[in-house]
Amino acid sequence: MPIASDERTIAVLNGPNLNLLGTRQPEIYGSETLADIEAMCRKRLEGTEFSLTFEQHNGEGELVAAAQGARRAAAVLINAAGYTHTSVALLDALLMAEGPVIEVHLSNPHARESFRHRSVIASACKGSIAGFGGLSYSLALDAALALVDGPTISGEGKENGERPR
Ligand code: DQA
């Protein structure tokens, strides 16, 4: 069941097979579990004004529903896993997000098979952080906090009362 997120929430969405992190191809994805990554994300937001929602869905429809539920969040971090490379439906859902969307990957898809080089969701995203294992999530949270809290990047956003995208 997707969790509805509001403007004081940073939503972290995870796609298929990420529930098996820790045992899934550890030589590529590392030994941290998704629970470890969630705990690290919660710790990173301690002392900030933001709360965290953290979800994982194996089904494309469930992940689309989760992206819809997160559309009012201050920021959305998404590791869409395999759907990164295939899902127009997920792109369409992410295009409704009111805050910035940050694409996250544990591995560096550009250093892997060619079918992973294309991200279908990239055009809905402010940017992408990939290749740093669990640290990718922490770096993406830093970016999200800077975007929603701090000075704007390349002059976009807050000075017109707009939320950054
Ligand atoms: C991934 C990269 C994708 O290509 C792959 O399908 C995944 C995980 C990553 O975090 O490195 O499932 O998103």
Side-chain angles (χ1 to χ4, degrees):
M1 178 71 168
I3 306 163
S5 304
D6 66 19
E7 288 183 25
R8 300 266 58 86
T9 299
I10 295 183
V12 181
L13 307 179
N14 294 282
N17 302 309
L18 295 173
N19 54 315
L20 294 181
L21 281 183
T23 51
R24 174 193 181 201
Q25 295 181 283
E27 67 287 1
I28 295 175
Y29 298 115
S31 56
E32 274 180 298
T33 65
L34 198 61
D36 294 334
I37 291 173
E38 178 174 358
M40 181 270 297
C41 289
R42 291 201 181 282
K43 202 158 181 47
R44 179 66 190 83
L45 289 192
E46 273 173 19
T48 74
E49 59 182 305
F50 296 99
S51 59
L52 185 84
T53 60
F54 194 97
E55 298 178 62
Q56 188 275 332
H57 300 280
N58 285 321
E60 183 177 8
E62 285 75 27
L63 195 59
V64 167
Q68 291 180 5
R71 70 188 181 281
R72 294 194 211 295
V76 177
L77 270 55
I78 182 159
N79 184 348
Y83 297 136
T84 305
H85 315 297
T86 62
S87 182
V88 173
L90 186 58
L91 167 67
D92 289 342
L94 292 170
L95 285 169
M96 289 187 272
E98 293 174 8
V101 179
I102 300 175
E103 183 176 344
V104 181
H105 298 286
L106 296 145
S107 67
N108 176 0
H110 295 284
R112 300 179 63 193
E113 304 96 319
S114 58
F115 64 84
R116 296 185 202 275
H117 296 180
R118 176 159 175 260
S119 167
V120 172
I121 65 168
S123 61
C125 299
K126 184 82 181 170
S128 162
I129 297 180
F132 300 99
L135 183 60
S136 291
Y137 285 74
S138 183
L139 295 170
L141 275 180
D142 287 347
L145 287 169
L147 288 168
V148 297
D149 251 353
T152 55
I153 292 178
S154 62
E156 295 169 28
K158 278 197 171 168
E159 62 275 13
N160 326 323
E162 290 169 12
R163 297 175 68 190
R165 162 144 218 158

